[in-house]
Amino acid sequence: MGENQFLIDSEKLSAADLRIKRRIENDRSARADHMTYMEGMEQIQSDIMEKVLRQMDAYHYEHYTAEDVKRALAKDTCGIEEFKALLSPAAEPFLEQMAERAKIETSKHFGNTVYLFTPIYIANFCENYCVYCGFNCYNDIRRKKLNYEEIENEMRVIADSGMEEILILTGESRKASSVEYIGEAVKIARKYFRNIGIEIYPVNVDEYRYLHQCGVDYVTVFQETYNADKYEKLHLMGHKRVFPYRFEAQERALMGGVRGVAFSALLGLWDFRKDALATALHAYYLQRKYPHAEISLSCPRLRPIVNNNKINPLDVGERQLCQILCAYRIFLPYVGITVSTREEKHFRDGIVKIAATKISAGVSTGIGDHESKYEGKKAADTGDEQFEIADERSFDQVYQAITDEGLQPVINDYVYV
């Protein structure tokens, strides 16, 4: 398995900045300790990270056999050991049987419904150097931060399309996108949407509590990879570099009162089978500790970014992705599973009939361009996107595609009293 070509040098970097960048890339001693909390980062007393990493490190998927997979599929309930078998290479010949079982579990817990949402990126300034991300601080892209008037305009355009659930995203920069700024964006969103999620830099419990009071329903955090050594090599600078603080973000969010949390690894950064195991176990252990929490999983794969089209997932094809999603559904039948527009139309249309319960529609990962994409109006000033999307269908097109499959699109199922 060859490494992706992550590193790129911008011609706009000064000689001094280029020297700093290359030293950070090549000299580990120039980087902060990725397991040490930085100033201002809250530490909670939790044993979940230790449990997840211990299971992941002990997982030798090459040892599982076809008989292990058959036994796992024959059981009425799927435990951790059965889940490990379903994630193993030995399970690949049983993908059809896994899909049938996953479809039964999905129908049992979710009926024939598929939830719809769309993301809105309100800023792309970032203080982290994550080598695979289009927003990273050393990537030469058009930076943009929406003001409150622009946020409201974008949200009005999205709401007019029929969407009732939104996910608010920023680059990971407290300086450019303060907690207060994000909170005000959430308050604006509450005027237009019934269900509001955020995918921002991790924050402390009291800050999650404040954002929940502003109107946040759920929090999404991608751990990217659960391998701490690989994580260190990919996240070279910034607050995101601190592995345990990021790992504990969902638990802090639940301690802050939010209703639901979402988990994911970015598949293709490391060993996808071990990352998939750790993602599901992270959700599993947190659900047992906070049984009231709404839990969901995502399965994003790497996508090309501005200035680097060589970034693609390592070893994770659509067949492997389908295996992971089916295994997730069998192991955690009650969790929501989201498949984003990183995936092609044909895959998303197929997987919602088997395991996925939520998909995005009418997506833009750029900053401030919903009006141009939705209504055809020329946008005067927009920011570059975080990554390339693969399914560019509108909300109406996705809604109709779900209906044509005999499924029921759901845009909201919450009533606020």
Side-chain angles (χ1 to χ4, degrees):
M1 181 177 75
E3 283 285 352
N4 274 313
Q5 300 300 308
F6 288 129
L7 305 180
I8 50 176
D9 289 333
S10 167
E11 295 178 355
K12 295 186 178 180
L13 287 176
S14 68
D17 285 339
L18 190 58
R19 281 195 299 272
I20 294 171
K21 174 179 178 288
R22 288 181 175 167
R23 186 182 174 215
I24 291 170
E25 290 168 352
N26 297 307
D27 182 1
R28 185 166 180 166
S29 68
R31 310 194 286 260
D33 180 4
H34 65 298
M35 300 301 288
T36 300
Y37 292 78
M38 294 182 181
E39 184 179 356
M41 291 182 173
E42 182 177 11
Q43 297 185 48
I44 60 174
Q45 300 303 313
S46 178
D47 62 349
I48 291 179
M49 186 173 80
E50 189 273 332
K51 287 181 179 179
V52 170
L53 299 187
R54 185 176 68 243
Q55 288 275 7
M56 183 189 74
D57 291 341
Y59 181 39
H60 300 288
Y61 49 75
E62 66 277 6
H63 295 167
Y64 290 84
T65 67
E67 291 303 313
D68 294 324
V69 178
K70 290 176 184 177
R71 279 194 294 271
L73 289 171
K75 289 198 173 184
D76 291 334
T77 58
C78 179
I80 293 174
E81 192 59 30
E82 289 76 29
F83 177 54
K84 289 177 178 178
L86 296 178
L87 281 178
S88 73
E92 289 187 5
F94 297 89
L95 188 54
E96 186 173 342
Q97 293 95 314
M98 288 178 63
E100 290 173 359
R101 172 73 177 272
K103 187 174 182 178
I104 291 170
E105 296 294 348
T106 303
S107 178
K108 190 187 302 181
H109 292 271
F110 294 89
N112 68 340
T113 59
V114 180
Y115 292 77
L116 291 171
F117 77 102
T118 204
I120 177 173
Y121 289 71
I122 61 173
N124 63 2
F125 288 90
C126 194
E127 295 162 9
N128 297 319
Y129 183 23
C130 309
V131 297
Y132 54 86
C133 180
F135 283 177
N136 86 66
C137 64
Y138 279 120
N139 196 17
D140 178 24
I141 64 171
R142 294 192 303 275
R143 303 286 177 175
K144 169 78 174 175
K145 172 186 173 182
L146 301 181
N147 61 36
Y148 297 133
E149 183 180 349
E150 291 170 323
I151 290 172
E152 181 141 17
N153 185 60
E154 288 277 287
M155 290 183 174
R156 186 185 302 112
V157 169
I158 294 169
D160 285 347
S161 75
M163 197 71 73
E164 293 189 18
E165 178 175 340
I166 198 163
L167 175 65
I168 299 171
L169 300 97
T170 67
E172 297 205 9
S173 169
R174 273 185 179 266
K175 183 177 180 180
S177 304
S178 67
V179 172
E180 291 72 26
Y181 167 74
I182 296 166
E184 290 303 311
V186 172
K187 291 176 185 177
I188 296 169
R190 184 55 73 200
K191 292 161 46 177
Y192 296 96
F193 303 99
R194 302 286 187 90
N195 205 7
I196 300 168
I198 55 170
E199 188 175 328
I200 62 168
Y201 50 87
V203 299
N204 294 335
V205 172
D206 62 335
E207 293 169 314
Y208 280 125
R209 185 175 294 112
Y210 162 76
L211 291 169
H212 174 56
Q213 291 167 351
C214 291
V216 168
D217 296 296
Y218 66 96
V219 169
T220 297
V221 181
F222 287 11
Q223 188 64 25
E224 316 297 11
T225 178
Y226 283 82
N227 179 294
D229 290 337
K230 184 67 173 180
Y231 188 97
E232 189 279 331
K233 295 173 184 174
L234 295 169
H235 306 92
L236 303 182
M237 185 175 73
H239 280 72
K240 187 172 177 177
R241 180 165 169 77
V242 182
F243 180 89
Y245 185 70
R246 191 170 191 87
F247 186 101
E248 294 165 350
Q250 287 94 339
E251 186 163 1
R252 291 195 304 276
L254 291 174
M255 293 168 68
V258 302
R259 190 175 72 232
V261 287
F263 303 79
S264 182
L266 183 53
L267 300 177
L269 286 174
W270 182 57
D271 186 321
F272 71 88
R273 297 182 197 278
K274 288 198 170 192
D275 266 339
L277 174 71
T279 303
L281 290 179
H282 193 177
Y284 170 79
Y285 287 126
L286 207 62
Q287 180 80 84
R288 290 166 72 89
K289 189 172 182 178
Y290 301 88
H292 64 279
E294 293 183 16
I295 302 291
S296 60
L297 299 172
S298 297
C299 269
R301 294 188 295 167
L302 276 171
R303 293 286 298 165
I305 64 171
V306 174
N307 298 322
N308 193 344
N309 62 6
K310 297 178 182 178
I311 293 180
N312 281 292
L314 296 172
D315 298 337
V316 194
E318 288 184 350
R319 188 174 178 84
Q320 288 75 29
L321 183 59
C322 184
Q323 180 188 358
I324 293 167
L325 290 165
C326 290
Y328 278 176
R329 174 56 66 220
I330 296 167
F331 177 50
L332 301 171
Y334 47 82
V335 305
I337 294 179
T338 302
V339 178
S340 77
T341 52
R342 291 172 182 265
E343 301 307 326
E344 299 281 354
K345 168 184 177 295
H346 69 270
F347 184 86
R348 300 209 310 154
D349 288 350
I351 202 66
V352 294
K353 293 184 285 186
I354 300 170
T357 56
K358 192 173 190 179
I359 59 174
S360 49
V363 172
S364 167
T365 67
I367 315 298
D369 61 356
H370 279 93
E371 191 169 28
S372 62
K373 288 196 172 186
Y374 281 41
E375 299 181 352
K377 297 181 180 178
K378 185 175 177 59
D381 180 25
T382 61
D384 279 339
E385 65 272 13
Q386 188 177 21
F387 56 87
E388 294 180 8
I389 63 174
D391 185 354
E392 296 184 342
R393 287 178 294 174
S394 68
F395 167 70
D396 287 340
Q397 289 171 322
V398 174
Y399 190 101
Q400 188 60 50
I402 293 170
T403 303
D404 290 345
E405 293 291 348
L407 301 172
Q408 175 60 54
V410 177
I411 54 176
N412 175 61
D413 66 352
Y414 285 97
V415 177
Y416 287 89
V417 178

